[in-house]
Amino acid sequence: DGKVTRSLVVRNQFGGSISPDGAHAAIIKRVSGGAVVELDGKAGPTFLNVTDGVPLFSPDSKRLAYGVVLKEGCATYIVDNKPSECFSRVGSALFSPDGRRFAFVGNRSGRAMLVTDGVPGREYAAVATPVFSNDGRAQAYWTRQLDGWYLVTDGGRQWRARRRPRHRRR
């Protein structure tokens, strides 16, 4: 009818996502004391706030992860309704292509690390662009260290990034 109305349901929703197979929906909602993620209408644990992003389904649609602030100074990812350990900030998150593994970047005391399957890795000045191999067994990610950026793979092998050539002005 052309009228604009605001629904209490819409005002109380932060966002959401639909699983790759289209069979599941996850919605972030405000509740008394914080927020929850509802998966197919069933609420998970209550948390203080959401971090950037929306709930993330695994490629096989069987698992769900989302970044939250559990309490002041404690940001983490909740995977399959279980929280990981606390960090001051969390970032880039992904499931392996087969959906079995999950990784995210955690930041604590000015240092960053890749957290894989709940286990924090080595600390660096920064961690960026984590990826899994197609079979989900191997990982690679960029790290910033004192002397530049390095590509790190499983087993700790590192390759230093080459500097971009500088363009001369004419």
Side-chain angles (χ1 to χ4, degrees):
D1 64 359
K3 295 180 182 176
V4 176
T5 60
R6 291 192 70 186
S7 162
L8 179 61
V9 172
V10 172
R11 281 195 319 235
N12 286 339
Q13 292 180 0
F14 286 81
S17 60
I18 296 175
S19 64
D21 66 3
H24 307 284
I27 300 169
I28 303 169
K29 290 187 172 182
R30 287 186 185 105
V31 294
S32 177
V36 298
V37 169
E38 284 187 1
L39 174 59
D40 299 330
K42 294 181 182 178
T46 301
F47 48 88
L48 187 62
N49 203 353
V50 294
T51 60
D52 294 335
V54 295
L56 175 67
F57 280 98
S58 61
D60 62 4
S61 301
K62 294 179 181 177
R63 302 181 69 198
L64 179 68
Y66 46 96
V68 301
V69 176
L70 289 177
K71 59 185 179 184
E72 199 63 41
C74 176
T76 191
Y77 270 86
I78 293 181
V79 184
D80 304 327
N81 279 331
K82 297 174 190 160
S84 182
E85 66 180 86
C86 290
F87 295 89
S88 52
R89 278 188 342 216
V90 293
S92 301
L94 73 157
F95 279 101
S96 61
D98 63 6
R100 292 183 183 178
R101 302 182 73 197
F102 179 75
F104 69 91
V105 176
N107 291 278
R108 184 184 300 139
S109 302
R111 305 290 291 167
M113 66 208 72
L114 188 66
V115 180
T116 304
D117 301 325
V119 179
R122 187 172 163 199
E123 293 183 0
Y124 299 96
V127 172
T129 324
V131 295
F132 281 102
S133 62
N134 286 339
D135 65 5
R137 293 181 185 164
Q139 285 181 288
Y141 52 96
W142 287 99
T143 65
R144 186 166 51 86
Q145 299 177 35
L146 291 176
D147 59 344
W149 283 91
Y150 287 81
L151 179 65
V152 177
T153 61
D154 284 353
R157 187 153 181 203
Q158 300 182 21
W159 290 271
R160 183 168 178 171
R162 294 185 180 189
R163 292 184 182 181
R164 279 188 352 192
R166 294 183 185 198
H167 296 283
R168 294 184 187 162
R169 292 185 185 186
R170 295 181 181 205

